[in-house]
């Protein structure tokens, strides 16, 4: 994978402006990010959400920031209140907002001010099926994704469910910025393999930053 380069420059027919892998971009702040995740989960613990179809997600989730992504039998939505606690989600740690803005700027999206931050926890066997992220109010803004801990095989396709799927490994410290033509690409994460990482033990944590509120 090219260092700090276009993610898809080796795949010219699938490349499009806006998708960038920033190899190891979060490494210098990884310990701080994990500490901040601890603080968030003390107030809003990881939980397994239920899909509208009634299935329990294998990935556990929580949120920080003004809006949090939630799923239940009624559907998917962004909500300012944590349904488990009845309180607002924890504030977004300053380190999160700073990293998200620096990564977005490095990828050509300056002035990124996410109002939602979804934190995913994978333990061995957890997976995320192919989906699009389209519940956000501002689809002109990218999504910034930070991977910590165990490596995962990330799958991405295209705007159509039938587009071919490519796999890439995301490892501890990787940051991906998905914008432009890639914003509505289908994507998923394969079943997490057993393993242990010095920073997280038998876990993978993925943090995504989103502009969910549509410019409010
Ligand atoms: C490509 N999370 O939370 S992050 C999600 O690793 C999600 O936990 C995955 O998909 C994870 O919704 C993948 C990478 C990602 C996030 C959003 C995207 C890739 C994307 C939006 C459009 C295209
Ligand atoms: Fe997603």
């Amino acid at each position: 994978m090219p260092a700090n380069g276009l993610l898809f420059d080796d795949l010219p027919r699938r490349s499009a402006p806006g998708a960038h892998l920033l190899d190891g971009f979060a490494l210098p702040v990884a310990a701080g990010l994990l500490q901040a995740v601890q603080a968030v989960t003390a107030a809003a613990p990881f939980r397994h959400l239920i899909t509208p179809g009634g299935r329990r997600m294998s990935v556990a989730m929580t949120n920080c920031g003004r809006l949090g992504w939630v799923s239940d039998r009624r559907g998917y939505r962004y909500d300012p209140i944590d349904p488990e606690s009845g309180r607002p989600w924890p504030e977004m740690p300053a380190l999160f907002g700073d990293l998200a803005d620096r990564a977005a700027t490095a990828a050509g999206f300056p002035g990124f001010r996410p109002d939602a931050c979804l934190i995913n926890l994978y333990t061995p066997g957890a997976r995320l099926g192919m989906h699009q992220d389209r519940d956000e109010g501002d689809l002109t803004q990218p999504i910034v994704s930070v991977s910590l801990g165990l490596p995962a095989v990330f799958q991405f396709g295209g705007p159509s469910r039938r587009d071919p799927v490519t796999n890439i490994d995301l490892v501890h410290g990787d940051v991906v910025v998905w914008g432009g033509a890639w914003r509505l690409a289908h994507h998923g994460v394969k079943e997490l393999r057993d393993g242990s990482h010095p920073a997280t033990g038998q876990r993978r944590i993925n943090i995504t930053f989103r502009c969910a509120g549509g410019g409010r």
Side-chain angles (χ1 to χ4, degrees):
M1 204 59 63
N4 294 339
L6 263 177
L7 180 49
F8 308 116
D9 59 3
D10 55 335
L11 299 165
R13 288 180 326 132
R14 300 175 51 74
S15 71
H20 290 69
L21 172 66
L22 305 172
D23 277 317
F25 191 88
L27 276 180
V29 292
L33 293 173
L34 288 167
Q35 218 166 13
V37 168
Q38 284 256 25
V40 167
T41 58
F46 284 117
R47 78 290 305 262
H48 295 271
L49 297 172
I50 304 298
T51 66
R55 287 210 287 243
R56 173 188 189 266
M57 296 182 73
S58 60
V59 177
M61 299 180 171
T62 188
N63 294 275
C64 61
R66 190 173 75 77
L67 293 168
W69 186 83
V70 292
S71 174
D72 60 21
R73 280 169 217 262
R74 290 182 294 156
Y76 309 124
R77 66 192 167 278
Y78 282 94
D79 199 311
I81 300 297
D82 176 355
E84 290 284 308
S85 68
R87 296 190 308 261
W89 297 101
E91 262 185 58
M92 201 181 300
L95 178 62
F96 280 23
D98 175 69
L99 175 70
D101 183 43
R102 287 190 293 111
T105 298
F109 297 92
F112 182 56
R113 294 291 177 273
D115 55 13
C117 174
L118 172 64
I119 308 174
N120 293 337
L121 171 65
Y122 295 76
T123 50
R127 62 183 288 274
L128 197 58
M130 296 291 285
H131 66 279
Q132 289 173 296
D133 290 12
R134 55 178 182 200
D135 302 327
E136 297 74 26
D138 188 351
L139 296 176
T140 71
Q141 290 299 305
I143 290 183
V144 173
S145 146
V146 180
S147 292
L148 296 169
L150 286 178
V153 179
F154 176 74
Q155 311 177 281
F156 67 90
S160 162
R161 191 166 271 289
R162 290 157 52 217
D163 286 329
V165 173
T166 300
N167 295 338
I168 57 168
D169 288 320
L170 291 180
V171 306
H172 182 68
D174 281 350
V175 176
V176 193
V177 180
W178 304 90
W182 289 98
R183 181 61 183 77
L184 288 174
H186 286 78
H187 58 277
V189 178
K190 283 198 183 177
E191 208 171 279
L192 194 79
R193 306 261 213 119
D194 259 314
S196 182
H197 189 280
T200 61
Q202 293 174 295
R203 310 192 305 169
R204 170 177 188 258
I205 289 171
N206 180 266
I207 310 174
T208 47
F209 298 96
R210 299 131 186 275
C211 293
R216 269 172 293 167

